[in-house]
Amino acid sequence: MTYSQIILIIINLSGGLALLLFAMFYINNALQKAAGEKFRTVLTSFASSKTRGVFSGIFLTSLNQSSTATMFLSMGLVGAGLLSFGQFMAVSLGASIGSTVTGQLVAFKLADYSLAIVAAGYALSFFTKGKKISQLGDVIFAFGILFFAMKLMSDGLFPLSGHPVFLDFIERAHSPFIGIAAGVLITVIMQSSGAVAGMVIALASSNVLDLNQAVYMMLGSQLGTCATVILASFKLPRTQKRTIIWQILQHVLAIIFVFPFLEIIKAGASDGAWFVFIKWVTKTFFLSENIARQVAVSHTLVAVFAAVIMIPLLKYFEKFIFILYPFKNQEIAFGTVYIDSKNIEKNTDKALELTKLEIRRTGEFVLDMLNSSVKAFKTNRINFAQNVSSKSFKIEILAKEIAPYIAKTGQRKLNPQQSEREIELLSVLSSFGEIAEIIDRNLMYIAKKKIGGYLKFSDDGLEDIARIHAVVYDNSAKVLTAFTSDDKPLALEAANAKASVRILATQLRQKHIARLHANLKESIETSVLHMDVLDQYERINSIMSNIGSLIAGGE
């Protein structure tokens, strides 16, 4: 092999790997833009049982092509008390299965059509007006890049398969321990088990790796995915650290389950039982003896068999992990703390008063969201905006528990004063929920759009946003104080602030238009976003002022 051939192999391998990683991250980002907000809803709404949790994990990871992304999302929900540890365990098993979808897609012989797929994706993304179709085009474009990267690596590495020195090295590295360790190491470096799966399949397709070695590396790649979450776990609360323990245990057990069938238990003259089984499954169900498909099938079946074995035992694993890392009082699940259905029967006035305390607590979470919202416009970290959005789930949980409690209270015979208080409490609760939704779906959407588009507000523009935010936050704090203490004069003051904030918003819009007339580049690029932010803060203040009017009554 000449020096130029070695250089060409290195270029093809490094270039192919770079394109493969780019495609994986591009797919994840494109899907996050299309349905990122819905991913949390899928987990919190559909992971109610073990089986549904597994399928939720499969579904999300198949879409976002990143088990790590699914795990970080799930861990965040566990930390917020929106997902139980038992539910997380099931989702994690599903995520391991979902992460094998990349290998199955790669095993289809689509590499020869990769550039056609790239062209089709590009056309959909750039020549269509519909947002959803354009986002679908981004995903197709990224998959085309992924298949092209596979072809680049496979074709580039083919000359290596017959080189004596390389063959001698491969023969020495035939141990399952070495193969699994190599898979772990490469995944830790590449930070993507899907990308490693693509690379291993490319190496196997080029006859650089045989089936045994490819399977060993795939096993190691699953364990290697834990590295990222382990590194991020040091400052996490106890609830989330426990999820790390489960992920490590889950992947180690998956390897232990299949390991005896790799070398110890034989099903032929030399092949381990697992390899004989994989070849049979691939030939019987896929009508293929292609090594790429065999590697992909093995990758999927390891995860599936591990899930099937572990699902019935999850409650025992959960108890074991709690023994290993005990529960502490600060880990009490999130929910209401004041209301109790027994109070309704005993004393209606007390039930309404406890409801008020719970709604005040909800208002405190809304104020926290509002306070954090402006910071999302000052940073380029999209995860900050996502964290602010995630707080809306706490408000949603409280509202779902408080509203039925108020309704149940109202079923009793109430006097006119109690009926008036019931209506006021429901109205305030609804208003707090509306504000949380504005911050989550509107303000944080704008922040993510700004960050995703690499845009920047002008210094004056950002100062104006901070100014209206400060006024709205102060007025909102007055409303919450007035609600807590039944302070009607303070409530009236907050109600009267609606007009002054409307005037301020108009003045700030005029300032923004002046910057546009001055051709300030940053203001031109963010004009729509800037005006929308002002609108949303004015809208929040209007809702808060209406609460103030309600509390003030006839004053």
Side-chain angles (χ1 to χ4, degrees), residues 435-512:
I435 292 169
E437 191 169 326
I438 291 170
I439 297 170
D440 174 23
R441 297 182 181 275
N442 298 353
L443 284 173
M444 291 308 99
Y445 173 79
I446 297 167
K448 292 170 192 173
K449 192 172 182 180
K450 169 190 151 304
I451 296 167
Y454 301 100
L455 301 173
K456 182 184 177 183
F457 290 120
S458 67
D459 291 340
D460 287 343
L462 195 56
E463 186 178 322
D464 288 348
I465 289 172
R467 182 181 171 190
I468 192 170
H469 167 268
V471 173
V472 172
Y473 179 81
D474 287 344
N475 197 47
S476 301
K478 287 178 184 178
V479 169
L480 187 58
T481 301
F483 172 74
T484 303
S485 58
D486 287 321
D487 189 335
K488 293 184 182 295
L490 184 62
L492 187 60
E493 182 185 335
N496 292 335
K498 181 188 284 191
S500 60
V501 170
R502 186 184 298 122
I503 293 169
L504 173 62
T506 301
Q507 292 172 345
L508 297 180
R509 290 187 190 99
Q510 290 171 345
K511 285 182 65 178
H512 175 69

Coordinates of all heavy atoms in Angstrom, one line a residue, residues 435-512:
I435 N -50.8 32.9 31.8 CA -49.5 33.6 31.8 C -48.3 32.6 31.6 O -47.4 32.8 30.8 CB -49.3 34.4 33.1 CG1 -50.3 35.6 33.1 CG2 -47.8 34.9 33.2 CD1 -50.3 36.3 34.4
A436 N -48.4 31.5 32.3 CA -47.4 30.4 32.2 C -47.3 29.9 30.7 O -46.2 29.7 30.2 CB -47.6 29.3 33.1
E437 N -48.5 29.8 30.1 CA -48.5 29.4 28.7 C -47.9 30.4 27.8 O -47.2 30.1 26.8 CB -49.9 29.1 28.3 CG -50.0 28.3 27.0 CD -51.4 27.8 26.7 OE1 -52.1 27.4 27.7 OE2 -51.9 27.8 25.5
I438 N -48.2 31.7 28.0 CA -47.6 32.8 27.2 C -46.0 32.7 27.3 O -45.3 32.8 26.3 CB -48.1 34.1 27.7 CG1 -49.6 34.3 27.3 CG2 -47.3 35.3 27.0 CD1 -50.2 35.5 27.9
I439 N -45.5 32.5 28.5 CA -44.1 32.5 28.7 C -43.5 31.3 28.0 O -42.5 31.4 27.3 CB -43.7 32.5 30.2 CG1 -44.2 33.8 30.9 CG2 -42.2 32.3 30.4 CD1 -44.1 33.8 32.4
D440 N -44.1 30.1 28.2 CA -43.6 28.9 27.6 C -43.7 28.9 26.1 O -42.7 28.7 25.4 CB -44.4 27.7 28.2 CG -44.1 26.4 27.6 OD1 -43.0 26.2 27.0 OD2 -44.9 25.5 27.6
R441 N -44.9 29.1 25.6 CA -45.2 28.9 24.1 C -44.8 30.1 23.3 O -44.5 29.9 22.1 CB -46.7 28.5 23.9 CG -47.1 27.2 24.5 CD -48.5 26.8 24.2 NE -48.9 25.6 24.8 CZ -48.7 24.4 24.3 NH1 -48.1 24.3 23.2 NH2 -49.1 23.3 25.0
N442 N -44.9 31.3 23.9 CA -44.6 32.5 23.1 C -43.2 33.1 23.3 O -42.4 33.1 22.4 CB -45.7 33.5 23.3 CG -47.1 33.0 22.9 OD1 -47.2 32.0 22.3 ND2 -48.1 33.8 23.2
L443 N -43.0 33.5 24.6 CA -41.7 34.2 24.9 C -40.5 33.2 24.7 O -39.5 33.6 24.1 CB -41.7 34.7 26.3 CG -42.5 36.0 26.5 CD1 -42.6 36.4 28.0 CD2 -41.9 37.2 25.7
M444 N -40.6 32.0 25.2 CA -39.5 31.1 25.1 C -39.3 30.6 23.6 O -38.2 30.3 23.2 CB -39.6 29.9 26.0 CG -39.5 30.3 27.5 SD -37.9 31.2 27.8 CE -38.5 32.9 27.9
Y445 N -40.4 30.6 22.9 CA -40.4 30.2 21.4 C -39.5 31.3 20.7 O -38.7 31.0 19.9 CB -41.8 30.1 20.8 CG -41.8 30.0 19.3 CD1 -41.5 28.8 18.7 CD2 -42.0 31.1 18.5 CE1 -41.5 28.6 17.4 CE2 -42.0 31.0 17.1 CZ -41.7 29.7 16.6 OH -41.7 29.6 15.2
I446 N -39.8 32.6 21.1 CA -39.1 33.7 20.5 C -37.6 33.6 20.8 O -36.7 33.8 20.0 CB -39.7 35.1 20.9 CG1 -41.1 35.2 20.5 CG2 -38.8 36.2 20.4 CD1 -41.8 36.4 21.1
A447 N -37.3 33.3 22.1 CA -35.9 33.2 22.6 C -35.2 32.1 21.8 O -34.1 32.2 21.4 CB -35.9 32.9 24.1
K448 N -35.9 30.9 21.6 CA -35.2 29.8 20.9 C -35.0 30.1 19.4 O -34.0 29.7 18.8 CB -36.1 28.6 21.1 CG -36.2 28.0 22.5 CD -37.2 26.9 22.6 CE -37.5 26.5 24.0 NZ -38.7 25.6 24.1
K449 N -36.0 30.9 18.9 CA -35.9 31.3 17.5 C -34.7 32.2 17.3 O -33.9 32.1 16.3 CB -37.2 32.0 17.0 CG -37.3 32.2 15.5 CD -38.7 32.6 15.2 CE -38.8 32.8 13.6 NZ -40.1 33.2 13.2
K450 N -34.5 33.1 18.2 CA -33.4 34.1 18.2 C -32.1 33.3 18.3 O -31.1 33.6 17.5 CB -33.5 35.1 19.3 CG -32.3 35.9 19.6 CD -32.5 36.7 20.9 CE -31.2 37.0 21.6 NZ -30.3 35.9 21.9
I451 N -32.0 32.4 19.3 CA -30.7 31.7 19.5 C -30.5 30.7 18.3 O -29.4 30.7 17.8 CB -30.8 30.8 20.8 CG1 -30.9 31.8 22.0 CG2 -29.6 29.9 20.9 CD1 -31.3 31.1 23.3
G452 N -31.5 30.0 17.8 CA -31.4 29.1 16.7 C -31.0 29.8 15.4 O -30.3 29.3 14.5
G453 N -31.4 31.1 15.2 CA -31.1 31.9 14.0 C -29.8 32.7 14.2 O -29.5 33.5 13.3
Y454 N -29.1 32.5 15.3 CA -27.9 33.2 15.6 C -28.1 34.7 15.5 O -27.3 35.5 14.9 CB -26.7 32.8 14.6 CG -26.4 31.3 14.7 CD1 -26.9 30.4 13.8 CD2 -25.6 30.8 15.7 CE1 -26.7 29.1 13.8 CE2 -25.4 29.5 15.8 CZ -25.9 28.6 14.9 OH -25.6 27.3 15.0
L455 N -29.2 35.2 16.0 CA -29.6 36.6 16.0 C -29.2 37.2 17.3 O -29.0 36.6 18.3 CB -31.1 36.8 15.7 CG -31.6 36.2 14.4 CD1 -33.1 36.2 14.3 CD2 -30.9 36.9 13.2
K456 N -29.2 38.6 17.3 CA -28.8 39.3 18.5 C -29.6 40.6 18.5 O -29.6 41.4 17.5 CB -27.3 39.6 18.5 CG -26.8 40.3 19.8 CD -25.3 40.7 19.7 CE -24.9 41.5 20.9 NZ -23.5 41.9 20.8
F457 N -30.2 40.9 19.7 CA -30.9 42.2 19.9 C -29.8 43.3 20.0 O -28.7 43.0 20.5 CB -31.8 42.2 21.1 CG -33.0 41.3 21.0 CD1 -33.2 40.3 21.8 CD2 -34.0 41.6 20.0 CE1 -34.4 39.5 21.7 CE2 -35.1 40.8 19.9 CZ -35.3 39.7 20.8
S458 N -30.1 44.5 19.5 CA -29.2 45.6 19.8 C -29.2 45.9 21.3 O -30.1 45.5 22.0 CB -29.7 46.8 19.0 OG -30.9 47.3 19.6
D459 N -28.1 46.6 21.7 CA -28.0 46.9 23.1 C -29.1 47.7 23.6 O -29.7 47.5 24.7 CB -26.7 47.6 23.3 CG -25.4 46.7 23.1 OD1 -25.6 45.5 23.2 OD2 -24.3 47.3 22.9
D460 N -29.6 48.7 22.8 CA -30.7 49.5 23.2 C -32.0 48.7 23.2 O -32.8 48.9 24.1 CB -30.9 50.7 22.2 CG -29.8 51.8 22.4 OD1 -29.1 51.7 23.5 OD2 -29.6 52.6 21.5
G461 N -32.1 47.8 22.2 CA -33.3 47.0 22.1 C -33.4 46.0 23.3 O -34.5 45.9 23.9
L462 N -32.3 45.4 23.7 CA -32.3 44.5 24.9 C -32.6 45.3 26.2 O -33.3 44.8 27.0 CB -30.9 43.9 25.0 CG -30.8 42.6 25.9 CD1 -31.8 41.6 25.5 CD2 -29.4 42.0 25.8
E463 N -32.1 46.5 26.2 CA -32.3 47.4 27.4 C -33.8 47.7 27.5 O -34.4 47.7 28.6 CB -31.5 48.7 27.3 CG -31.6 49.6 28.5 CD -30.7 50.8 28.3 OE1 -29.6 50.7 27.8 OE2 -31.2 51.9 28.8
D464 N -34.5 47.9 26.3 CA -35.9 48.2 26.3 C -36.7 47.0 26.8 O -37.7 47.1 27.5 CB -36.4 48.7 24.9 CG -35.9 50.1 24.6 OD1 -35.4 50.8 25.5 OD2 -36.0 50.4 23.4
I465 N -36.3 45.8 26.3 CA -37.0 44.6 26.7 C -36.8 44.4 28.2 O -37.8 44.1 28.9 CB -36.4 43.4 26.0 CG1 -36.8 43.4 24.5 CG2 -36.8 42.1 26.6 CD1 -36.2 42.4 23.6
A466 N -35.6 44.6 28.8 CA -35.4 44.5 30.2 C -36.2 45.5 31.0 O -36.7 45.2 32.1 CB -33.9 44.7 30.5
R467 N -36.4 46.7 30.4 CA -37.2 47.8 31.1 C -38.7 47.4 31.2 O -39.2 47.5 32.3 CB -37.1 49.1 30.3 CG -37.8 50.2 30.9 CD -37.6 51.5 30.0 NE -38.4 52.6 30.5 CZ -38.6 53.7 29.8 NH1 -38.0 53.9 28.7 NH2 -39.4 54.7 30.3
I468 N -39.3 46.9 30.1 CA -40.7 46.6 30.2 C -40.9 45.3 31.1 O -41.9 45.2 31.8 CB -41.3 46.4 28.8 CG1 -42.9 46.3 28.9 CG2 -40.8 45.1 28.1 CD1 -43.6 46.4 27.6
H469 N -39.9 44.4 31.0 CA -39.9 43.2 31.8 C -39.9 43.6 33.3 O -40.7 43.1 34.1 CB -38.8 42.3 31.5 CG -38.6 41.2 32.5 ND1 -37.8 41.3 33.6 CD2 -39.1 40.0 32.7 CE1 -37.8 40.3 34.4 NE2 -38.6 39.4 33.8
A470 N -39.1 44.5 33.7 CA -39.0 45.0 35.1 C -40.3 45.6 35.6 O -40.7 45.3 36.7 CB -37.8 46.0 35.3
V471 N -40.9 46.4 34.7 CA -42.2 47.0 35.1 C -43.3 46.0 35.3 O -44.0 46.0 36.3 CB -42.6 48.1 34.1 CG1 -44.0 48.6 34.4 CG2 -41.6 49.2 34.1
V472 N -43.3 45.0 34.3 CA -44.4 44.0 34.3 C -44.1 43.1 35.5 O -45.1 42.7 36.2 CB -44.4 43.2 33.0 CG1 -45.3 42.0 33.1 CG2 -44.8 44.1 31.9
Y473 N -42.9 42.7 35.8 CA -42.6 41.8 36.9 C -43.0 42.5 38.3 O -43.6 41.9 39.1 CB -41.1 41.5 37.0 CG -40.7 40.6 38.1 CD1 -41.0 39.2 38.1 CD2 -40.2 41.1 39.3 CE1 -40.7 38.4 39.1 CE2 -39.9 40.3 40.4 CZ -40.1 38.9 40.3 OH -39.8 38.1 41.4
D474 N -42.6 43.8 38.4 CA -43.0 44.5 39.7 C -44.5 44.6 39.9 O -45.0 44.4 41.0 CB -42.4 45.9 39.6 CG -40.9 45.9 39.8 OD1 -40.4 44.9 40.3 OD2 -40.3 47.0 39.5
N475 N -45.2 44.8 38.8 CA -46.7 44.9 38.9 C -47.3 43.5 39.2 O -48.2 43.4 40.0 CB -47.3 45.4 37.6 CG -48.7 45.9 37.7 OD1 -49.0 46.6 38.7 ND2 -49.6 45.5 36.9
S476 N -46.7 42.4 38.6 CA -47.1 41.1 38.9 C -46.9 40.7 40.3 O -47.7 40.0 41.0 CB -46.4 40.1 38.0 OG -46.6 40.4 36.6
A477 N -45.7 41.1 40.9 CA -45.4 40.9 42.3 C -46.5 41.6 43.2 O -46.9 41.0 44.2 CB -44.0 41.3 42.6
K478 N -46.9 42.8 42.8 CA -47.9 43.5 43.6 C -49.2 42.7 43.6 O -49.9 42.6 44.6 CB -48.1 44.9 43.0 CG -47.0 45.9 43.3 CD -47.3 47.2 42.6 CE -46.2 48.2 42.8 NZ -46.5 49.5 42.1
V479 N -49.6 42.2 42.4 CA -50.8 41.4 42.3 C -50.8 40.2 43.2 O -51.8 39.9 43.9 CB -51.1 41.0 40.8 CG1 -52.2 40.0 40.7 CG2 -51.3 42.2 39.9
L480 N -49.7 39.5 43.2 CA -49.6 38.3 44.0 C -49.6 38.7 45.5 O -50.3 38.0 46.3 CB -48.3 37.5 43.7 CG -48.1 36.2 44.4 CD1 -49.3 35.2 44.1 CD2 -46.8 35.5 44.1
T481 N -49.0 39.8 45.9 CA -49.0 40.2 47.3 C -50.5 40.6 47.7 O -51.0 40.3 48.8 CB -48.1 41.4 47.5 OG1 -46.8 41.1 47.1 CG2 -48.1 41.9 48.9
A482 N -51.1 41.3 46.8 CA -52.5 41.8 47.0 C -53.4 40.6 47.1 O -54.3 40.5 48.0 CB -53.0 42.7 45.9
F483 N -53.2 39.5 46.3 CA -54.0 38.3 46.4 C -53.8 37.6 47.7 O -54.8 37.1 48.3 CB -53.7 37.4 45.2 CG -54.3 36.0 45.2 CD1 -55.6 35.9 44.9 CD2 -53.5 34.9 45.6 CE1 -56.2 34.6 45.0 CE2 -54.1 33.7 45.6 CZ -55.5 33.5 45.3
T484 N -52.6 37.5 48.1 CA -52.2 36.8 49.3 C -52.8 37.5 50.6 O -53.4 36.8 51.5 CB -50.7 36.7 49.5 OG1 -50.2 36.1 48.3 CG2 -50.3 35.9 50.7
S485 N -52.8 38.8 50.6 CA -53.2 39.5 51.8 C -54.5 40.3 51.7 O -54.9 41.0 52.6 CB -52.1 40.6 52.2 OG -51.9 41.5 51.1
D486 N -55.2 40.0 50.6 CA -56.5 40.7 50.3 C -56.3 42.2 50.5 O -57.2 43.0 51.0 CB -57.6 40.3 51.3 CG -58.1 38.9 51.0 OD1 -58.2 38.6 49.8 OD2 -58.3 38.1 52.0
D487 N -55.2 42.7 49.9 CA -54.9 44.2 50.0 C -55.6 44.8 48.7 O -55.0 44.9 47.7 CB -53.4 44.4 49.9 CG -53.0 45.8 50.2 OD1 -53.8 46.7 49.9 OD2 -51.9 46.0 50.7
K488 N -56.8 45.4 48.9 CA -57.5 46.0 47.8 C -56.9 47.2 47.3 O -56.9 47.4 46.0 CB -59.0 46.2 48.3 CG -59.8 44.9 48.5 CD -61.2 45.2 48.9 CE -62.0 43.9 49.2 NZ -62.1 43.0 48.1
P489 N -56.4 48.1 48.1 CA -55.7 49.3 47.5 C -54.5 48.9 46.6 O -54.3 49.5 45.6 CB -55.2 50.1 48.7 CG -56.2 49.7 49.8 CD -56.5 48.3 49.6
L490 N -53.7 48.0 47.1 CA -52.6 47.5 46.3 C -53.0 46.9 45.0 O -52.4 47.0 43.9 CB -51.7 46.5 47.1 CG -50.4 46.1 46.4 CD1 -49.5 47.2 46.1 CD2 -49.7 45.0 47.3
A491 N -54.1 46.1 45.1 CA -54.7 45.4 43.9 C -55.2 46.5 42.9 O -55.0 46.4 41.7 CB -55.9 44.5 44.3
L492 N -55.8 47.6 43.4 CA -56.3 48.6 42.5 C -55.1 49.3 41.9 O -55.2 49.7 40.7 CB -57.1 49.6 43.4 CG -57.8 50.7 42.6 CD1 -58.8 50.1 41.6 CD2 -58.5 51.7 43.5
E493 N -54.0 49.5 42.6 CA -52.8 50.1 42.0 C -52.3 49.3 40.9 O -51.9 49.8 39.8 CB -51.8 50.3 43.1 CG -50.5 50.9 42.7 CD -49.4 51.0 43.8 OE1 -49.8 50.9 45.0 OE2 -48.2 51.0 43.4
A494 N -52.3 48.0 41.1 CA -51.8 47.1 40.0 C -52.7 47.1 38.8 O -52.3 47.0 37.7 CB -51.7 45.6 40.6
A495 N -54.0 47.2 39.1 CA -55.0 47.2 38.0 C -54.8 48.5 37.2 O -54.9 48.4 35.9 CB -56.4 47.2 38.6
N496 N -54.6 49.6 37.8 CA -54.4 50.9 37.1 C -53.1 50.9 36.3 O -52.9 51.8 35.5 CB -54.4 52.0 38.1 CG -55.8 52.2 38.7 OD1 -56.8 51.8 38.1 ND2 -55.9 52.8 39.9
A497 N -52.2 50.0 36.6 CA -50.9 50.0 35.8 C -51.1 49.5 34.4 O -50.2 49.6 33.6 CB -49.9 49.1 36.6
K498 N -52.3 49.0 34.1 CA -52.5 48.5 32.7 C -52.3 49.6 31.7 O -51.6 49.4 30.7 CB -53.9 47.9 32.5 CG -54.2 47.4 31.1 CD -55.6 47.0 30.9 CE -55.9 45.7 31.6 NZ -57.3 45.2 31.2
A499 N -52.8 50.8 32.0 CA -52.7 51.9 31.0 C -51.2 52.4 30.9 O -50.7 52.7 29.8 CB -53.6 53.1 31.5
S500 N -50.5 52.5 32.1 CA -49.2 53.0 32.0 C -48.2 52.0 31.3 O -47.3 52.5 30.6 CB -48.7 53.2 33.5 OG -48.7 52.0 34.2
V501 N -48.5 50.7 31.4 CA -47.6 49.7 30.7 C -47.9 49.8 29.2 O -47.0 49.6 28.4 CB -47.8 48.3 31.3 CG1 -47.2 47.3 30.4 CG2 -47.3 48.2 32.7
R502 N -49.2 50.0 28.9 CA -49.6 50.2 27.5 C -48.9 51.4 26.8 O -48.3 51.3 25.7 CB -51.1 50.3 27.3 CG -51.5 50.3 25.9 CD -53.0 50.5 25.7 NE -53.8 49.5 26.4 CZ -54.7 49.7 27.4 NH1 -54.9 51.0 27.8 NH2 -55.3 48.7 27.9
I503 N -48.8 52.5 27.6 CA -48.1 53.7 27.1 C -46.6 53.4 26.9 O -46.0 53.8 25.9 CB -48.3 54.9 28.0 CG1 -49.8 55.3 28.0 CG2 -47.4 56.0 27.7 CD1 -50.2 56.3 29.1
L504 N -46.0 52.7 27.9 CA -44.6 52.3 27.9 C -44.3 51.5 26.7 O -43.3 51.7 26.0 CB -44.2 51.6 29.2 CG -42.8 51.1 29.2 CD1 -41.7 52.2 29.1 CD2 -42.5 50.2 30.5
A505 N -45.2 50.5 26.4 CA -44.9 49.6 25.3 C -45.0 50.3 24.0 O -44.2 50.1 23.1 CB -46.0 48.5 25.3
T506 N -45.9 51.3 23.9 CA -46.0 52.1 22.7 C -44.7 53.0 22.5 O -44.2 53.1 21.4 CB -47.2 53.1 22.8 OG1 -48.4 52.3 22.9 CG2 -47.3 53.9 21.5
Q507 N -44.2 53.5 23.6 CA -43.0 54.3 23.5 C -41.8 53.5 23.0 O -41.0 53.9 22.2 CB -42.7 54.9 24.9 CG -43.7 56.0 25.3 CD -43.5 56.5 26.7 OE1 -42.8 55.8 27.5 NE2 -44.1 57.6 27.1
L508 N -41.7 52.2 23.6 CA -40.6 51.4 23.2 C -40.7 50.9 21.8 O -39.7 50.7 21.1 CB -40.6 50.2 24.2 CG -40.3 50.5 25.6 CD1 -40.3 49.2 26.5 CD2 -39.0 51.2 25.8
R509 N -41.9 50.7 21.3 CA -42.1 50.4 19.8 C -41.6 51.5 19.0 O -41.0 51.3 17.9 CB -43.6 50.1 19.6 CG -44.1 48.7 20.2 CD -45.5 48.4 19.7 NE -46.0 47.3 20.5 CZ -46.9 47.4 21.5 NH1 -47.3 48.6 21.9 NH2 -47.3 46.4 22.2
Q510 N -42.0 52.8 19.4 CA -41.5 53.9 18.6 C -40.0 54.0 18.6 O -39.4 54.4 17.6 CB -42.1 55.2 19.2 CG -43.6 55.3 19.0 CD -44.3 56.4 19.7 OE1 -43.7 57.0 20.7 NE2 -45.6 56.7 19.4
K511 N -39.4 53.7 19.7 CA -37.9 53.7 19.8 C -37.3 52.7 18.8 O -36.3 52.9 18.2 CB -37.4 53.4 21.2 CG -37.6 54.6 22.2 CD -37.0 54.2 23.6 CE -35.5 54.0 23.5 NZ -35.0 53.7 24.9
H512 N -38.0 51.5 18.8 CA -37.5 50.4 17.9 C -37.6 50.9 16.4 O -36.7 50.6 15.6 CB -38.3 49.2 18.1 CG -38.0 48.1 17.2 ND1 -36.8 47.4 17.2 CD2 -38.7 47.5 16.2 CE1 -36.7 46.5 16.3 NE2 -37.9 46.5 15.6

